[in-house]
Structures are given as structure tokens and as C-alpha cells.
Amino acid sequence: MKEEEIKTTLRDIKEMMEKSSRFTAISGWSIAVIGVLAMLCYFCVSSIYMKSINTPQAIRTAIIFAICLLVVSFSIVTLCSIRKAKRMNRPFKLDKTIGQLLFNFSLPMLVGGLFSIAMIIQGHYGLTSSIMLLFYGLALVNCHHYTAPVLRFLGYGELLLGIIDCFLVDYGFLFWLLGFGILHILFGIFFIIKYER
């Protein structure tokens, strides 16, 4: 075999192995839609509380919205992934890869969620948004090995915003909007243009 044929064969084998060990049916549309929903949640909470958005009551309401957003987001990602898998003529099944993906994503999310709840119960509201951004960013970076590797950059963005938010406590809701809303929309558009056109 010629050297070029060997390289082509090795590339094909590598691609087949990546496809079998990665969940590739992530949809850029679902990422962007989650961002739009996060922005709607932000504007709902801010319109309810107007100028007193950093009060404990407003933060508790925002947490309820965040939990609802998490449930709806998971449903959207699942439905869009099933649809994309069908378009790619690939079966959507709960296999080892999806199990590893869910575990690696859920563990930081669960720890971050419990940490946020503990902080709220003790009346420490200031760092709640940064905790959410940081643990969500860690979850994305932690699971990128089992899905589109480019998702880690969304995770890095969330981590950066979470760290900055730690030092600007009075702007927590703004960072929540930037991280879960605008960053998601921009990344979703990038993902659609780069991988789904």
C-alpha cells in the first residue's frame, strides 16, 4: 500500500472509533433555544422584581425559574438529539456512550445544585449565580470527551463568566443572563454554521 492510502485508512479507522465512542447528535438549535429560554427567564424575574432584583426573594424566584429551565432544556436537547440522529440515519439509544456522557455531565451539576441550595438555605445569596455558572462550565468541560469536543469552549466561557461573577457580586443576574442566555445563543449559532450547514 502507498503511504497516502495508509494515512487515509488510518484516518477512516480513527473517525469510526470516534463515532462509536462519541454522542454526535447534539443539535446547535437546541443550544440556541436554551439561550433564548434563559433570556426569557431573566426578563420574567427582572420584570416581577423590577429594581429589587438582588433581594433574597428575587433570587429564590430565579432559582425556581432555573430549575424549570433545566428540566425544559434537558427535554429540548433530548428531542433535538433524537431528531438529528434520525436525520443522520443513526439509532438513538441509551448505550454506554450516552451513559458516560450523562454521568460526567450530571455529577458536577448535582454537586453545584446542592451547593447552591446549601448557600441559599444559609442566606448566602451573593455567589449563587457564579456557583451555577462555574459548575455548569465544569459539567460541559467534563463531558466533552463523549460528545462534540467543541462544547468544551462553551464550558470555558461559562467558567470565565463564573470567575468574574465571583468578584462582582452585585451583578449576578447580569452574568446569569450573559452565561446561560447570550453565550448559549452565540455558541448555538456558531455550532449550526460550523457543523450543521
Side-chain angles (χ1 to χ4, degrees), residues 3-59:
E3 187 177 335
E4 193 59 39
E5 289 177 348
I6 292 170
K7 286 181 181 177
T8 304
T9 304
L10 289 172
R11 196 180 315 115
D12 291 342
I13 291 169
K14 183 182 174 187
E15 284 178 13
M16 283 175 30
M17 288 176 69
E18 282 183 356
K19 283 180 182 176
S20 65
S21 64
R22 290 185 188 274
F23 178 70
T24 56
I26 293 291
S27 167
W29 289 104
S30 65
I31 297 169
V33 168
I34 290 166
V36 171
L37 291 175
M39 289 182 75
L40 288 173
C41 286
Y42 169 83
F43 289 119
C44 285
V45 174
S46 60
S47 66
I48 292 168
Y49 291 98
M50 302 299 274
K51 292 182 181 177
S52 59
I53 197 157
N54 279 331
T55 62
Q57 190 178 7
I59 291 169

Side-chain angles (χ1 to χ4, degrees), residues 20 22-23 25 74 77-79 81-82 85 90-103 106:
S20 65
R22 290 185 188 274
F23 178 70
F74 184 78
V77 168
T78 303
L79 291 171
S81 296
I82 291 169
R90 298 191 68 190
F92 183 88
K93 56 184 180 183
L94 295 174
D95 57 9
K96 184 180 177 183
T97 302
I98 291 180
Q100 290 173 323
L101 168 65
L102 289 173
F103 177 78
S106 299

Side-chain angles (χ1 to χ4, degrees), residues 28-43 66 69 73 129 132-133 136 140 154 157-158 161 172-190:
W29 289 104
S30 65
I31 297 169
V33 168
I34 290 166
V36 171
L37 291 175
M39 289 182 75
L40 288 173
C41 286
Y42 169 83
F43 289 119
L69 177 63
S73 297
S129 60
M132 290 180 177
L133 288 165
Y136 179 58
L140 289 170
L154 177 59
E158 302 289 351
L161 287 171
F173 275 99
L174 176 62
F175 280 97
W176 201 90
L177 172 67
L178 291 172
F180 295 110
I182 294 169
L183 190 59
H184 258 264
I185 292 169
L186 293 175
F187 188 83
I189 292 168
F190 162 77

